[in-house]
Amino acid sequence: MTGWRRRDDAAVTPPGRHCGGCVAAPPSDRPVADYPALADAVESVAHLLREHVTNSGEPVIAGIQIDLRSPRELELATTTDVVSVWLYHLEVQPDQRNAPAERVAPDVRRRPLPLDLYLLISPVHQDPRTAQILLGRIAQVVDDLRD
């Protein structure tokens, strides 16, 4: 997730990349540097998967919900037939930690906090074949972002 920026149209995408015209995150009036940006980044991944899984129209995977809880939390809640998108770890990027402060107002400078976000994306489904199909679709969506 390193390098994700908010464009003028409020979509979250990697720099210089697009996802075939889809909007990867709902609009927000907060600046990226604000503290909710972390939650916005995770939600943008969930939104992207909702567009390409839940709302896909494909018979096997259409309607499968995207959930931000951990697979363990879903198991304890006896929730099945979902895709878990769980932020399980984050790290400060040490090589970019000492970047110069950016001017955010005429008299205010803020030092960026570069983070690496680690997401566990896991299908939780009663049918193992459907879980594997979901995982394949998720891998395809992520790979499509590289183009």
Side-chain angles (χ1 to χ4, degrees), residues 31-141:
V32 168
D34 202 7
Y35 63 90
L38 190 143
D40 290 346
V42 175
E43 181 56 41
S44 72
V45 172
H47 181 78
L48 180 70
L49 293 178
R50 283 185 197 104
E51 290 295 316
H52 293 279
V53 174
T54 308
N55 302 331
S56 69
E58 297 177 30
V60 176
I61 62 173
I64 301 289
Q65 297 300 307
I66 309 300
D67 198 301
L68 298 180
R69 292 179 285 176
S70 73
R72 177 72 175 141
E73 290 172 314
L74 293 171
E75 179 185 3
L76 291 174
T78 63
T79 303
T80 59
D81 302 348
V82 299
V83 172
S84 169
V85 177
W86 181 51
L87 175 64
Y88 72 91
H89 184 73
L90 66 100
E91 288 182 2
V92 175
Q93 296 176 352
D95 56 333
Q96 296 182 17
R97 182 66 171 123
N98 293 322
E102 297 175 356
R103 187 174 306 277
V104 294
D107 58 341
V108 178
R109 295 178 68 86
R110 183 178 292 156
R111 185 172 309 279
L113 179 60
L115 298 173
D116 285 328
L117 307 179
Y118 295 85
L119 299 174
L120 175 65
I121 301 175
S122 178
V124 179
H125 202 280
Q126 295 174 354
D127 177 37
R129 178 168 171 72
T130 301
Q132 292 166 3
I133 291 170
L134 282 164
L135 195 55
R137 179 63 176 140
I138 292 164
Q140 183 181 43
V141 168

Side-chain angles (χ1 to χ4, degrees), residues 4-17:
W4 288 57
R5 306 275 191 264
R6 188 168 300 279
R7 296 188 326 218
D8 292 340
D9 64 353
V12 176
T13 58
R17 300 179 195 265

